[in-house]
Amino acid sequence: MTTTPRMNIWQVAPEMMKGMFAFQQAASAAGLDPVVGELVKIRASQINRCAYCLDMHLADARKNGESQLRLDLLAAWAEAGDLFTEREQAALALTEAVTELTDGFVPDEVYERAAKHFDESELAALIGQIVAINSWNRFNVTVRGLPQSLQADKTDSAR
């Protein structure tokens, strides 16, 4: 498989990008814990194999003080003991269920687990964040968006 970008979809369809940013802002406005928000974005991006979003959100998480150990073990969060809180685990389980939509639905037990740890406003924000990152992932994977750090490397090596 080639990793050559196919197009810059945001230049071709700037109104679509404005809509995505508006949706992302609306999902973020409800006050979801930013640590949970970044973990959700990273986990969905791992599942969707979105290098662009992984590059961005891993950098953001590190900048905001997330430990490297937690980032390293995020893909195996369910086996990482108490490294992730029950609340974070509930959010990650919901992220996986929404991202993969196994059998076309989110299992009741996964939803109920999240509902125990998040009030309705937070749960709405969590669902919004999960849906938003999955949308960003799908755009970037489809057009093969080149991660920002690789774009910078190419610019630096061209100088």
Side-chain angles (χ1 to χ4, degrees), residues 21-64:
F21 274 125
F23 177 60
Q24 181 69 56
Q25 285 183 319
S28 299
L32 182 65
D33 175 7
V35 172
V36 171
E38 284 304 319
L39 292 175
V40 161
K41 291 172 189 172
I42 295 165
R43 185 64 192 123
S45 299
Q46 289 172 332
I47 294 165
N48 291 323
R49 300 170 52 187
C50 183
Y52 185 94
C53 293
L54 279 168
D55 180 57
M56 177 191 309
H57 294 294
L58 285 165
D60 288 348
R62 285 186 198 98
K63 183 173 61 181
N64 292 324

Side-chain angles (χ1 to χ4, degrees), residues 79-147:
E79 291 81 31
D82 61 358
L83 187 61
F84 297 95
T85 68
E86 274 295 317
R87 181 177 166 93
E88 291 167 342
Q89 290 178 35
L92 293 167
L94 186 62
T95 300
E96 291 181 358
V98 172
T99 300
E100 296 171 346
L101 285 177
T102 305
D103 296 325
F105 66 94
V106 173
D108 289 340
E109 61 273 9
V110 173
Y111 185 87
E112 290 163 8
R113 179 180 183 189
K116 279 197 270 186
H117 294 280
F118 297 89
D119 66 30
E120 279 194 338
S121 177
E122 293 172 319
L123 187 56
L126 176 60
I127 293 166
Q129 288 289 339
I130 295 166
V131 170
I133 193 60
N134 273 282
S135 297
W136 288 114
N137 290 166
R138 282 158 172 76
F139 279 118
N140 283 304
V141 168
T142 301
V143 299
R144 296 186 183 141
L146 191 61

